Amino acid sequence: MYRVLIIDDEELIGDGVKAKLERAGLSAVGIIQVAYGGLQGLQAAGELKPHIIITDMRMPEVDGIELIRQLTQQLPLTKFIMLSGHDDYSYVREAFKYGVLDYLLKPASSAELASQVQAAIAAIEADSRQALALERNQQDEQTLLTARLNMLLNAAAEKADRLPHPASLTATAHDLPDAPESWHMLEQFFSHPFFAVGLFGMGGAPFSARDLARADAILNASIRAAGYTAQLQLLTFHDTQGNVYAVINFADALSSDALDALLRDSVAQLSLDISDKPVVAVSKIGELRDLPQLYRQAQHAMSYRILRKPDPVLYLNEPPKRQEEQLPARKDIDELRQAVETLHLERIHAWIDRWLSDSLVERISLEQLEAVFDLLMSEIHRHFNGRLISEENEQPQAFASFHTLHDLRQYVKGYVFTAKQLVSESASLEGAVIGDAIAYVRQHFQRDIQLAEVANRVSMNYSYFSKLFKERTGLTFTAYLIKVRMEEAQKLLKDPATRINEVSEKVGYSNPYHFSRAFKNHCGISPKEFRNK
C-alpha cells in the first residue's frame, strides 16, 4: 500500500485535499497524512517515508521549492506533486528541476487528484521494475565475472601445481593459455591499478551465501564509512572450493596502513555475529595480471595461521628460518606408541603438550608441525582401528582446519578420550558378541557350521570376527569348533553301547575316517584306543 503526505500551511486546504483523495477511493493508497506548513512537512516526511508528497508551492518558513530540494536527497524514490496558483508558473518551472512529477492548479478536484496520484504510482512501479532489471543485470554480470575469474585462477593453480615450490607462488597468468575475453572483462570492471586478494576464514560451511553476503556488505560499508569509495573497489566471490574471497582493487593514493585499518574494522564487524573468530589472510600487492599469484598467496598466508599469534588480519610474511628439524626421534615415537597401546591418557596428553607446544612456534615449520600431527593421528587411529567393532571409525579432522595450536591440542586430546571410551564400550560389546558366538557353536556343533554363518549371526564383519574370536578364545574358529566336538566325542566314547560310527555322526562328521583322524590329531590317540584305555 502506498503512503501519501499532503503539505499545506492552510489547514482547511490540506484537510480538503485529504478528503477529496479519500472520496476518490484509490485501492492502492493506504495512509493519507496531512502536515501543516513546511517545517512540519519536513518532520512528517522523515517519520512517514511517504511514496507520494503533494505540497503547496508558497508557504512561510520553508516553501515548496526548498522542501522538495531537501526531501529529494532524503527520499530519492518519492514522487512529488505541486499545488499552485495561476501566478506560480515561475516556481513550477523551478520545481521541475528537482524532479517534480506534475502540478495541479488550486482548487484541484477529486478526479484530478486521483489521476495525478495514479500517475505517480505508475511512475514508482516503473522505477521499481527498472531498478530490479538493473540489479539483475548487475548480478548476472558479476556472476559471469566471478566464473571467468575462477577459470583463470584454477588454470593458474593447475599449472603451478605441476611446478616445484616456490614456483607455485610465483606462476602468474602470463604463463597461461590466452584468455583475452576473461581478462578484458576484468579490465573493464576494475578501475584502479593495484590489487590484493583477501581470503576470509569465517567458520561457515562451503558456499555459504550468508557468509559471502555478510562479508560483501560489511566491506562495502567500511569503505563508505572511511570515505574510500573513489579510491577502492571490491569484488567478493566464492572460489571453486566454496571459500569467501575478496579482490581488493585500489588507487596508489590508498596507503597500506589505511587498507589494514579497513580490513581490521571489517573483521571486527564480522565477529559481532559469527561465533567462530573470523580472520582475513591477505596477499601481497600486485597488478591485474598477478591475480592468480595473489590468490595463492592469500591461501599460503591462511595456511600459516596456526603458527602465528592470534591476529584478525594475516599477511604473507615468510616464516623464520629454522635452525634444525624439530621432529620426534625414534625413542619419542616408541614412547607415543606405548602410551597409545596401553591407552594411558596422561602419558598421551604429556606427549601432545610437548610436541604441540606453543613454544614450538618459532622453531618448527608448518610442514614439520603437520608431520607431527599426522604421526599422532595415524598411531591413534591405527591402534583404535584394531580395537573398535565399527567398520567405519571417525576420520581425523583435517590439519588445515585448525586455527591455533591450542585448538589442535584440544582436538587431539578429545579424540583420544572419545576413542578410549569407545574402546571400553566395544570391549563390553565384544565380550557379549563372542559369548553369543560360543553358545551358538556349542548348540550347533553337530552341523557343518562355518565362520561366515556365525559372524553373520552376531552381525559382525567376517574378517574382524575371525580376529576377535581368536583374541578372546585363544583359538581360531575352526580349532575351537574341533575342540568342542572332541570334548563331546570323549563323553560319548565312554559309553560302550555307542558305536564309533554313531559318535562320528553325533559330533558332526559324516565320514568316520575323517572323525578318527581329527580325534587322533586333537587327543593324540584314536577313538578306539581312547575307549579301550
Side-chain angles (χ1 to χ4, degrees):
M1 301 292 284
Y2 291 93
R3 300 180 295 276
V4 177
L5 176 62
I6 300 165
I7 304 173
D8 200 302
D9 62 315
E10 296 186 40
E11 187 174 335
L12 185 62
I13 293 177
D15 291 343
V17 172
K18 179 183 178 183
K20 289 176 182 179
L21 266 183
E22 289 174 340
R23 285 199 300 272
L26 297 176
S27 59
V29 174
I31 298 173
I32 302 175
Q33 184 173 320
V34 181
Y36 306 109
L39 288 177
Q40 193 178 121
L42 288 172
Q43 181 179 354
E47 296 170 356
L48 181 63
K49 302 291 190 297
H51 300 95
I52 302 167
I53 293 178
I54 302 173
T55 180
D56 188 18
M57 179 65 69
R58 294 182 179 272
M59 294 182 292
E61 296 177 332
V62 179
D63 65 12
I65 296 293
E66 179 60 22
L67 183 138
I68 293 170
R69 189 186 65 79
Q70 292 187 36
L71 290 182
T72 49
Q73 297 178 6
Q74 301 174 27
L75 305 170
L77 301 180
T78 298
K79 300 301 180 184
F80 293 88
I81 300 170
M82 300 293 299
L83 291 176
S84 68
H86 287 280
D87 56 347
D88 289 337
Y89 290 119
S90 59
Y91 282 89
V92 171
R93 285 195 301 270
E94 183 69 18
F96 277 119
K97 294 179 182 179
Y98 294 100
V100 170
L101 187 67
D102 212 333
Y103 73 98
L104 289 170
L105 292 174
K106 296 180 180 179
S109 67
S110 179
E112 288 175 323
L113 285 167
S115 176
Q116 288 293 339
V117 169
Q118 286 175 326
I121 291 173
I124 292 171
E125 292 177 348
D127 288 350
S128 179
R129 288 192 297 271
Q130 184 178 2
L132 182 60
L134 179 60
E135 182 180 354
R136 286 176 178 170
N137 288 338
Q138 290 174 340
Q139 289 175 348
D140 291 343
E141 180 184 359
Q142 185 153 330
T143 299
L144 178 59
L145 186 68
T146 298
R148 296 278 187 178
L149 179 59
N150 267 317
M151 180 188 72
L152 295 171
L153 297 179
N154 291 333
E158 290 174 7
K159 183 175 181 67
D161 285 340
R162 298 192 294 268
L163 300 173
H165 187 80
S168 59
L169 294 177
T170 59
T172 72
H174 292 294
D175 305 313
L176 301 177
D178 192 27
E181 187 176 353
S182 298
W183 286 115
H184 180 69
M185 285 188 66
L186 292 171
E187 289 168 354
Q188 292 297 310
F189 182 81
F190 292 114
S191 307
H192 306 297
F194 298 107
F195 291 82
V197 172
L199 166 57
F200 285 83
M202 302 170 70
F207 296 103
S208 169
R210 182 184 182 278
D211 284 354
L212 182 63
R214 185 69 176 143
D216 182 77
I218 285 180
L219 281 167
N220 279 296
S222 297
I223 290 170
R224 290 191 297 271
Y228 296 148
T229 51
Q231 300 165 279
L232 195 151
Q233 190 176 359
L234 199 70
L235 174 63
T236 55
F237 67 99
H238 279 134
D239 73 345
T240 54
Q241 282 72 51
N243 299 309
V244 176
Y245 282 84
V247 174
I248 306 165
N249 175 224
F250 52 95
D252 55 0
L254 190 68
S255 68
S256 57
D257 289 341
L259 181 58
D260 178 77
L262 179 76
L263 291 171
R264 291 182 184 279
D265 176 70
S266 298
V267 174
Q269 292 299 315
L270 283 171
S271 66
L272 296 179
D273 62 350
I274 296 177
S275 56
D276 194 15
K277 291 182 179 179
V279 298
V280 57
V282 189
S283 71
K284 295 181 179 179
I285 295 173
E287 299 178 355
L288 177 64
R289 291 276 169 165
D290 299 324
L291 280 180
Q293 176 186 351
L294 303 181
Y295 169 73
R296 291 179 69 81
Q297 286 177 356
Q299 293 174 334
H300 193 62
M302 184 65 82
S303 71
Y304 269 86
R305 174 181 185 177
I306 194 170
L307 284 180
R308 291 177 180 156
K309 295 178 181 179
D311 194 331
V313 182
L314 305 172
Y315 291 98
L316 184 66
N317 300 319
E318 292 300 324
K321 292 182 179 180
R322 314 297 169 177
Q323 298 299 320
E324 57 182 346
E325 281 197 353
Q326 297 292 325
L327 291 173
R330 171 55 58 185
K331 64 180 181 63
D332 300 304
I333 297 174
D334 291 341
E335 179 186 345
L336 171 64
R337 286 176 176 168
Q338 184 179 7
V340 172
E341 184 68 30
T342 58
L343 288 176
H344 197 298
L345 290 185
E346 289 185 3
R347 290 174 61 191
I348 297 174
H349 288 184
W351 199 98
I352 292 169
D353 287 337
R354 183 166 72 253
W355 285 102
L356 295 178
S357 168
D358 288 336
S359 64
L360 288 174
V361 168
E362 296 301 324
R363 296 184 289 120
I364 196 169
S365 70
L366 187 67
E367 293 75 16
Q368 291 169 356
L369 181 64
E370 187 169 7
V372 172
F373 173 75
D374 288 342
L375 170 66
L376 255 171
M377 298 312 298
S378 62
E379 287 298 324
I380 294 168
H381 212 246
R382 178 181 61 81
H383 178 70
F384 290 139
N385 267 339
R387 302 284 292 272
L388 302 178
I389 286 180
S390 172
E391 295 181 48
E392 297 181 1
N393 297 311
E394 178 188 355
Q395 293 301 310
Q397 189 172 322
F399 174 77
S401 66
F402 296 103
H403 299 170
T404 65
L405 279 173
H406 174 77
D407 295 340
L408 189 63
R409 286 193 301 271
Q410 293 304 109
Y411 170 77
V412 178
K413 289 179 181 179
Y415 188 90
V416 174
F417 178 77
T418 302
K420 183 173 182 178
Q421 286 186 315
L422 290 174
V423 165
S424 178
E425 294 170 3
S426 295
S428 300
L429 183 57
E430 287 170 355
V433 165
I434 298 304
D436 289 345
I438 288 172
Y440 187 80
V441 170
R442 289 191 172 277
Q443 186 177 357
H444 300 281
F445 66 88
Q446 68 277 10
R447 291 196 298 102
D448 183 23
I449 56 176
Q450 301 294 324
L451 173 64
E453 175 188 347
V454 182
N456 185 61
R457 178 84 182 181
V458 295
S459 302
M460 188 174 285
N461 172 270
Y462 175 94
S463 299
Y464 185 74
F465 174 74
S466 176
K467 178 183 177 182
L468 182 62
F469 191 93
K470 186 173 182 180
E471 285 182 357
R472 291 283 176 159
T473 64
L475 297 171
T476 65
F477 177 81
T478 301
Y480 185 82
L481 176 60
I482 292 172
K483 176 177 177 292
V484 171
R485 286 173 169 176
M486 295 306 108
E487 288 173 351
E488 182 64 20
Q490 290 175 15
K491 294 177 185 178
L492 294 172
L493 287 170
K494 290 178 182 179
D495 182 3
T498 306
R499 292 181 298 175
I500 291 178
N501 286 356
E502 292 176 338
V503 173
S504 174
E505 291 179 357
K506 288 183 178 182
V507 297
Y509 291 91
S510 58
N511 188 321
Y513 172 75
H514 291 162
F515 165 66
S516 295
R517 188 172 63 180
F519 190 92
K520 187 171 184 178
N521 288 338
H522 184 77
C523 301
I525 56 176
S526 68
K528 185 175 181 179
E529 289 172 333
F530 180 85
R531 171 169 278 180
N532 291 338
K533 183 179 178 181

